[in-house]
Amino acid sequence: MKKWLILLALLLVAAVLVFWLIGREQAGEQETPENPAIPEAPEVPEEVLTTAPFTGMQEDGPYDRRAVMAVINNHPAARPQTGLIEADMVFELIAEYNITRFLALYQSEFPVNIGPVRSARDYFVELADAYDAFFIAHGYSPEAKQLLDSGVVDHINGMQYDGTLFKRSLDRVAPHNSYITYENVELAMEMTGASSNYRMKAPYTFSAPGSNDKLGEQAASIEVTYGGDPLFASAYTYDAESQLYSRSSGGTATADKETSQRIEVANVLVIETAHETIDAKGRQEIDLTSGGRALLFRDGRVQEIMWREEGGMLVPVAVNEIADLTQGKTWVHIIPDSPGIGQAVQYSP
């Protein structure tokens, strides 16, 4: 009996040894130079954008959300507006005759509510496309509608979503009372299948306040007019302590309707370009490609420069180099070249 037990034990040991050797042989085959084991590919980390592309700031990144560009009403009946204070850049352009509208560009921060939202022009759409922004408007000119219908830019329009994504305030009358929340902007991106990620490189360069030695004379007080209409005259006053310009429009401080906080910007950029009236309603054709004269106000001083178009974006240039903006927010005035900067812009120490 003992012999059988010993023999059984030996057989079991032999079986274990055989299986162990077979396992080693198979493992060796899998890792030979002729048939090497394939290592897992290392994960490639996504690039984290730590500098805001349109302000040069680095405090609240990452800055990876899709830019949004909204048409904001600037009629006196639409003031004060909501959400301008969060805009990285605001472009002020003529919509008709000498009446201006704002294109507010959001990327580093977004307001809770935006408005009053107003109708699009074709050059508004072109700028939104250039800045790869999700475009917000309520209404459109015939030329703008043609561009929007062509799908040139991701967008949502209050003409199709009045009362749903866009809400009317009760304290103002149409067309000065259409608003959209940023929550509904995000919903609109989902509905239209638009990307919510920032995916481009902006050409702007920035430097710290007081670091530009190319600036000219002092210019602490600035006024920009459109056709001499006082209702659409913009004034800026530089504060040396905050190193920012506070803004007024039509003689009244530009402030946020919800918070009463005053609009302050680090840069005021004025560019002149050709304008042409194209219909009886005073709508314009504006040249945003040819470049031309410009003035850059920063740090309480002024720099005579040029502007040029890069990928559709409007860029300040000094001696064939991109002119540094001060880190912070920028207001861009686009004015007709007739009468031009000489008459439309006044400044003093």
Side-chain angles (χ1 to χ4, degrees):
M1 184 67 179
K2 290 182 179 179
K3 290 181 180 181
W4 281 107
L5 291 174
I6 293 171
L7 181 60
L8 181 60
L10 290 173
L11 289 173
L12 289 172
V13 171
V16 171
L17 183 59
V18 169
F19 282 115
W20 179 73
L21 289 173
I22 291 173
R24 280 181 58 89
E25 184 178 355
Q26 290 177 342
E29 288 178 357
Q30 292 174 353
E31 298 178 6
T32 58
E34 293 78 16
N35 186 24
I38 301 174
E40 292 186 7
E43 291 186 5
V44 179
E46 292 185 4
E47 182 179 358
V48 177
L49 196 64
T50 58
T51 300
F54 303 112
T55 68
M57 304 301 286
Q58 298 179 319
E59 293 152 352
D60 299 314
Y63 302 99
D64 55 0
R65 287 190 289 176
R66 177 79 176 273
V68 171
M69 189 174 275
V71 181
I72 305 296
N73 197 336
N74 188 34
H75 190 280
R79 302 171 187 165
Q81 296 89 349
T82 299
L84 284 176
I85 203 164
E86 287 86 0
D88 291 351
M89 303 180 77
V90 176
F91 300 85
E92 184 168 353
L93 308 89
I94 293 176
E96 55 207 32
Y97 296 113
N98 293 316
I99 298 171
T100 66
R101 283 188 192 152
F102 303 145
L103 275 180
L105 176 67
Y106 304 96
Q107 200 278 325
S108 67
E109 58 178 323
F110 298 87
V112 174
N113 205 22
I114 303 170
V117 182
R118 201 62 172 89
S119 62
R121 298 293 181 263
D122 53 338
Y123 38 91
F124 297 174
V125 179
E126 290 165 357
L127 282 173
D129 178 40
Y131 286 82
D132 190 33
F134 188 80
F135 182 61
I136 308 293
H138 193 143
Y140 25 65
S141 67
E143 296 80 9
K145 186 177 188 304
Q146 184 177 4
L147 274 178
L148 293 171
D149 288 346
S150 74
V152 69
V153 67
D154 295 329
H155 74 281
I156 199 80
N157 198 287
M159 294 295 285
Q160 288 76 45
Y161 296 95
D162 196 349
T164 53
L165 295 179
F166 292 76
K167 303 293 186 181
R168 297 282 185 174
S169 68
L170 300 178
D171 60 340
R172 293 173 176 173
V173 297
H176 311 301
N177 63 348
S178 176
Y179 294 82
I180 187 170
T181 63
Y182 182 67
E183 182 179 3
N184 279 352
V185 172
E186 291 183 306
L187 178 59
M189 287 184 185
E190 293 180 13
M191 290 169 53
T192 58
S195 170
S196 60
N197 297 323
Y198 179 75
R199 56 190 181 188
M200 62 173 290
K201 181 175 176 60
Y204 297 102
T205 61
F206 298 89
S207 56
S211 61
N212 190 337
D213 58 3
K214 299 178 182 178
L215 298 176
E217 59 187 303
Q218 290 186 337
S221 180
I222 312 162
E223 184 178 58
V224 182
T225 59
Y226 290 82
D229 189 338
L231 290 176
F232 295 93
S234 299
Y236 299 87
T237 303
Y238 182 72
D239 179 76
E241 184 175 349
S242 67
Q243 299 179 307
L244 297 172
Y245 296 88
S246 56
R247 185 183 188 281
S248 300
S249 183
T252 302
T254 307
D256 186 82
K257 182 177 184 293
E258 307 300 323
T259 66
S260 298
Q261 186 176 351
R262 187 142 185 202
I263 304 293
E264 295 179 318
V265 297
N267 309 279
V268 179
L269 175 63
V270 184
I271 71 173
E272 68 172 34
T273 191
H275 288 54
E276 181 182 354
T277 302
I278 60 171
D279 61 23
K281 294 187 176 182
R283 297 190 183 110
Q284 301 291 300
E285 181 177 303
I286 301 179
D287 180 1
L288 297 179
T289 61
S290 297
R293 297 176 60 202
L295 293 175
L296 173 60
F297 298 90
R298 56 166 286 182
D299 302 331
R301 294 181 175 273
V302 61
Q303 184 179 6
E304 295 186 12
I305 59 171
M306 305 293 287
W307 71 274
R308 72 184 181 211
E309 172 265 339
E310 286 196 15
M313 288 183 277
L314 311 180
V315 181
V317 181
V319 196
N320 294 321
E321 294 181 342
I322 294 177
D324 281 357
L325 300 172
T326 296
Q327 291 169 322
K329 300 177 184 296
T330 300
W331 203 284
V332 183
H333 286 274
I334 300 172
I335 64 169
D337 59 357
S338 178
I341 282 176
Q343 293 189 38
V345 184
Q346 305 294 325
Y347 56 87
S348 59

